[in-house]
Amino acid sequence: MKRHYLVTGGAGFIGSHVASRLLRAGHRVTVLDNFSTGSRANLDAVRTEVGRRASELKVVEGSVTDARAVATAFDGIAGVVHLAALPSVVRSVEAPLESHDHNVTGTVQVLDAARRCGVRVVYAGSSSAYGEQDAQLKHEELRESPLSPYAASKLAGELYARAFGRVYDASVVVTRFFNVYGPRQVPDSPYSGVVAAFCFALLRGAQPRIDGDGSQTRDFTYVGDVAEGVARALEADLAPGCHTVNLAGGGNYSIRELLATLTRHAGADVEPVFGPARAGDVKHSQADVSRLRALLGYVPSTSFDAGLRATFDWYRQTYGETAATERGAGDRQN
Ligand SMILES: NC(=O)c1ccc[n+]([C@@H]2O[C@H](COP(=O)([O-])OP(=O)(O)OC[C@H]3O[C@@H](n4cnc5c(N)ncnc54)[C@H](O)[C@@H]3O)[C@@H](O)[C@H]2O)c1
């Protein structure tokens, strides 16, 4: 059935892929975004991807912390993908109250509007909720152990989701994302994800910076797979209440392996520089995906190599010329 869905944070990296996936399936989409880290360029890219269906995309500019903006965005919708947040560990260490406001207060606003309308929320949970664990695989029954204000804020959103499930029988699916990467991730901010930052450095001929010794491992998940999982969570036939599920491929790659793979795709020959390990970072992060398979009948399948190739190609197309110019300017200064 064709429906009208709300995507909060839809102008962001993951949100723009979710909006695109829903529009391509024939749904209407409203995006609620305050454009703090997201961009209009991402929405233009969505319009290009969906072609004639672009007219089915509506944009409400505003904050999820603002009840009036939320009420406007909820008009006529059948479900919500709630992604709006300040998604940075580093930024949360610098400004924990700011993270709390966007990530927790914003989430309560969205959950409250959704339970009043009786529509499902798919909430972007985070693997950071697990923190360090003895178990190699992070499964949903582990006791959470957030290590940063960001992780605490994302977990607080989950706790509200669980409480709303219990008290109001609200329908919520908490999808815990692991390290999501792919086209449209901002590459040149101090808060950038590692895949985007490495791609950008390689294109500029700069040395990629590894925080710590690079042996830390991550469950890198391609953004198209995340969008697919989220769309399934939105439409799955589930019992009322809150369901919490990892949304990742279940792989395990070190930062050094990541850099080696991207370096190969770039045809580059560079040595990284090493910096101190970052406060609030975990050593290993790998998802147990058995619940995902059971609940949604889906597990991300884009291989590490194919996902990184597609991602690097996108950065090359998008930033290649700028990076080459910067490189040229740098050469002239020397
Ligand atoms: N990228 C990852 O690896 C990852 C991993 C785990 C969880 N997540 C979660 O996924 C979600 C999306 O992350 P992303 O990587 O796409 O980041 P992003 O910064 O690209 O997207 C976040 C979007 O939310 C918007 N936003 C921020 N505060 C807002 C507010 N108060 N009101 C309205 N819009 C607001 C931003 O403008 C942006 O468009 C976040 O909730 C994040 O915590 C991401």
Side-chain angles (χ1 to χ4, degrees), residues 92-287:
S92 79
V93 172
E94 290 164 3
L97 284 173
E98 185 191 45
S99 285
H100 179 90
D101 193 33
H102 293 270
N103 301 1
V104 187
T105 306
T107 296
V108 181
Q109 284 285 6
V110 170
L111 288 170
D112 198 43
R115 64 111 183 162
R116 285 173 196 281
C117 301
V119 299
R120 176 174 296 169
V121 179
V122 177
Y123 170 71
S126 166
S127 61
S128 63
Y130 291 114
E132 295 292 1
Q133 302 277 347
D134 290 336
Q136 159 83 15
L137 291 180
K138 313 264 168 107
H139 63 81
E140 296 86 347
E141 295 303 314
L142 287 170
R143 183 171 178 179
E144 297 86 356
S145 174
L147 296 180
S148 67
Y150 167 73
S153 73
K154 294 302 294 184
L155 179 59
E158 285 197 22
L159 296 175
Y160 272 106
R162 271 182 235 169
F164 273 59
R166 289 204 189 98
V167 174
Y168 307 113
D169 258 352
S171 177
V172 189
V173 186
V174 174
T175 46
R176 285 185 178 161
F177 303 160
F178 283 59
N179 283 66
V180 187
Y181 72 93
R184 301 205 277 269
Q185 195 166 25
V186 173
D188 53 354
S189 134
Y191 311 118
S192 290
V194 61
V195 174
F198 281 1
C199 288
F200 201 55
L202 289 169
L203 283 167
R204 285 165 45 234
Q207 284 181 284
R209 196 192 75 236
I210 292 182
D211 299 321
D213 66 4
S215 65
Q216 63 271 39
T217 61
R218 295 290 182 264
D219 193 338
F220 291 103
T221 315
Y222 188 64
V223 68
D225 289 347
V226 170
E228 180 61 32
V230 162
R232 288 177 186 233
L234 199 51
E235 307 208 299
D237 188 10
L238 300 171
C242 179
H243 303 263
T244 302
V245 64
N246 292 334
L247 177 46
N252 181 27
Y253 296 92
S254 74
I255 300 299
R256 283 174 187 263
E257 284 172 278
L258 168 68
L259 184 57
T261 308
L262 283 173
T263 305
R264 182 161 43 79
H265 289 321
D269 182 18
V270 289
E271 286 298 317
V273 283
F274 289 88
R278 293 195 308 191
D281 260 0
V282 299
K283 186 78 183 150
H284 299 292
S285 178
Q286 182 180 10

